[in-house]
Amino acid sequence: MSTPTPEPDRPAPGRPSGPARKRWTAALNGFMPVISAALALGLIVGLLMVSAAPGGHEHGALASSEEGAAAPAGGGASLPGKGKKVTLDFEEGDMYIKPNKVTVPAGADVTVNVVNKGSQAHTLSLLGKTNKQLEPGKSETQHWGVLTESTQAWCVIPGHKDAGMLVEITVTGGESTKAAGTTAAAAAGAGTAGDTANAKIDPAAKPAAGWKPFDPTAPVNDGKDVHEATFTVTEKEIEVAPGVKQTRWTYNGTAPGPTLRGKVGDTFRIKLVNKGSMGHSIDFHASKVAPNVQMRTIKPGETLVYEFTAQFSGIFTYHCGSDPMIYHMGNGMHGALIVDPPDLPKVDKELVLIQSELYLGPQGKPGDLKKMQAGEYDAVVFNGYHNQYVHAPIKVKPGDRVRVWVDDGGPNENIAFHVVGTIFDTVWKEGAYTLRRDNKEKGGAQVLDLQPTQGGFVEFTLPDAGTYPFLGHRMKNMAAGGLGVFQVG
């Protein structure tokens, strides 16, 4: 701290000049250390009073308190919270924690009360150290102990932190606050969009010997009025491109899940069994039911029976609806259910193609939520695997009439489905024919355009021997893996 020097010809009011001024300045400089110490002590006391007062956190902690507030001796100036006990209250909901920023003095002994007001289980873990899941409506107390550096706490259930369940904890007065905050932020930021640790697809790579493609054959309508199935949820490592594996969240072990089929008026009774490590659910777009009842999230080990009557025809998406929904869908939890239109004619070959995107996380891990939220996909694929029907073309006999059911599973990209070398003479989109075979206008269609979770079908013939590519005619999606081949003859 320095003392301003007045101009020589205009002494500061109230100050002596000449020799007397020199003596006054020397005396003032002698008192400066005492004044500086007093100011520092005043700042520290003020900080402690703000931190200890209920609701006094500048970032909105819900409550705090102190006990035994004797001023720390010795090194107390560097740890202003030494000897203090601070209590923080947090509320968790589905994809939020509030407050999401708190401030405590360095050296304070911190206890946390947390209540879960969401609809599914959550955790609040300091620096991601795993603790038990807190069920909806429940509360708990955690002892975090003495904090000397800025840090973070978050929900460790996959995807929840990146969806917003993160608390920034600023520790004031510690010598290493800045460095600690930087370290914590770096640790919490692992797996963000563009992370170099994420797996990469080599477009030139080929599947290993023994690889088998996802069977695109459409299921046969068995003619029953009641269709019963069990969907078991598991989280398993699956290859999504040559040499690239991800932990996919699956119905019955596949991503996409199994395709179901029936007709208008049929009953579908699905038993959902959760054998995963977190809450999951299912939402059939073909149903009209109360979402909070049949589409509710169930915990690991639980089961749910989802029953509905199909009232409308078409190809409908089903998917997991648990938060964050985009993360569950983006990790493979979607599929299709076909409800045949009345008098649907027979064809020679019937297929199901489900388009979706891959947002790669590290090898063997789940996908990257931040990339999903940003729409920064690594691949656009049919039936879950990069260019799989280029590696294993779909065989068709010359002249066969082909029907392809197309479902856009998303979660983000649309599709303009096109087959190179032919024209669609029949098109069904979202509940109605937009083009019928042998129409009087002699009209034909070149694409079936669908937004995420829309569906339809096209019919066509491939009369000559050869290879006929099929793709989504959004070129960057085709170049990113959304390509296949019909092999004729």
Side-chain angles (χ1 to χ4, degrees):
M1 185 172 181
S2 61
T3 304
T5 303
E7 299 176 15
D9 56 345
R10 296 180 61 187
R15 295 185 184 178
S17 60
R21 180 184 172 200
K22 293 181 179 179
R23 291 192 298 273
W24 179 85
T25 301
L28 179 60
N29 288 339
F31 281 107
M32 287 311 299
V34 178
I35 295 171
S36 297
L39 288 172
L41 180 59
L43 288 172
I44 293 170
V45 172
L47 176 62
L48 290 176
M49 291 176 67
V50 171
S51 298
H57 290 300
E58 60 176 303
H59 294 300
L62 301 184
S64 61
S65 64
E66 68 173 276
E67 300 175 6
S78 62
L79 293 175
K82 186 176 181 181
K84 308 299 177 181
K85 292 186 178 181
V86 175
T87 300
L88 305 175
D89 292 336
F90 292 98
E91 176 188 312
E92 290 188 307
D94 294 333
M95 305 312 112
Y96 74 84
I97 301 174
K98 61 181 182 183
N100 60 5
K101 294 181 180 180
V102 295
T103 301
V104 297
D109 189 341
V110 178
T111 297
V112 169
N113 296 320
V114 56
V115 59
N116 183 1
K117 293 189 177 181
S119 63
Q120 56 184 293
H122 296 294
T123 73
L124 182 61
S125 303
L126 184 64
L127 276 179
K129 297 177 182 177
T130 305
N131 60 322
K132 67 178 182 180
Q133 295 185 9
L134 187 63
E135 298 299 327
K138 301 295 183 180
S139 59
E140 67 176 0
T141 298
Q142 301 177 16
H143 182 221
W144 285 358
V146 174
L147 299 184
T148 59
E149 299 176 340
S150 294
T151 185
Q152 295 176 321
W154 59 81
C155 180
V156 301
I157 295 175
H160 289 199
K161 179 183 73 173
D162 285 344
M165 299 194 72
L166 173 70
V167 179
E168 296 283 355
I169 304 156
T170 300
V171 175
T172 58
E175 295 177 356
S176 57
T177 296
K178 182 176 181 181
T182 302
T183 301
T192 58
D195 193 327
T196 56
N198 287 340
K200 305 293 182 185
I201 292 175
D202 178 2
K206 295 181 179 181
W211 170 82
K212 293 182 179 180
F214 188 101
D215 187 355
T217 305
V220 175
N221 187 340
D222 59 15
K224 296 179 180 178
D225 295 331
V226 178
H227 308 271
E228 294 185 307
T230 297
F231 277 22
T232 301
V233 175
T234 57
E235 299 146 15
K236 58 183 293 189
E237 191 173 293
I238 296 176
E239 186 173 85
V240 296
V244 178
K245 294 184 178 181
Q246 298 278 275
T247 295
R248 304 288 274 164
W249 304 347
T250 73
Y251 296 113
N252 288 359
T254 64
T259 299
L260 303 179
R261 191 166 190 175
K263 64 183 183 300
V264 175
D266 286 358
T267 296
F268 290 85
R269 186 177 299 128
I270 311 302
K271 182 179 180 181
L272 182 67
V273 181
N274 187 356
K275 291 188 177 181
S277 63
M278 69 196 81
H280 292 293
S281 64
I282 196 165
D283 169 1
F284 284 94
H285 284 199
S287 69
K288 295 183 68 174
V289 298
N292 63 311
V293 178
Q294 299 205 54
M295 301 178 191
R296 70 184 184 274
T297 297
I298 61 173
K299 297 184 293 186
E302 291 186 338
T303 62
L304 175 149
V305 176
Y306 189 133
E307 184 172 326
F308 66 94
T309 298
Q311 301 178 42
F312 300 92
S313 59
I315 178 170
F316 296 91
T317 303
Y318 66 79
H319 62 87
C320 182
S322 299
D323 283 332
M325 191 185 302
I326 192 173
Y327 201 40
H328 290 250
M329 293 179 68
N331 275 312
M333 297 194 76
H334 62 90
L337 185 151
I338 297 171
V339 182
D340 287 341
D343 303 317
L344 184 68
K346 292 183 177 181
V347 292
D348 299 302
K349 195 172 188 69
E350 197 168 16
L351 307 165
V352 177
L353 296 174
I354 300 174
Q355 179 184 279
S356 61
E357 304 110 54
L358 298 176
Y359 301 85
L360 300 181
Q363 180 78 348
K365 301 296 183 181
D368 188 318
L369 174 58
K370 289 189 175 181
K371 289 199 290 189
M372 295 177 195
Q373 293 170 326
E376 298 173 356
Y377 59 75
D378 293 277
V380 176
V381 297
F382 288 116
N383 293 345
Y385 194 96
H386 183 272
N387 276 347
Q388 71 174 316
Y389 302 118
V390 175
H391 300 302
I394 300 172
K395 295 181 179 180
V396 178
K397 294 178 181 179
D400 274 359
R401 184 159 186 81
V402 180
R403 177 184 296 130
V404 179
W405 295 88
V406 183
D407 176 68
D408 185 357
N412 294 320
E413 289 296 306
N414 57 24
I415 184 174
F417 182 73
H418 173 70
V419 179
V420 180
T422 193
I423 298 172
F424 306 146
D425 60 39
T426 301
V427 178
W428 168 286
K429 177 185 175 182
E430 284 292 281
Y433 286 99
T434 62
L435 182 68
R436 299 294 294 259
R437 184 182 182 187
D438 298 326
N439 61 85
K440 64 180 181 179
E441 295 84 5
K442 302 297 181 181
Q446 55 201 311
V447 299
L448 169 61
D449 57 314
L450 302 170
Q451 293 294 330
T453 75
Q454 287 190 320
F457 69 78
V458 294
E459 295 178 6
F460 54 91
T461 59
L462 304 172
D464 301 323
T467 55
Y468 296 75
F470 61 85
L471 59 139
H473 221 294
R474 190 176 187 186
M475 289 292 94
K476 70 173 186 176
N477 293 354
M478 183 273 289
L483 178 67
V485 173
F486 291 120
Q487 181 178 324
V488 180

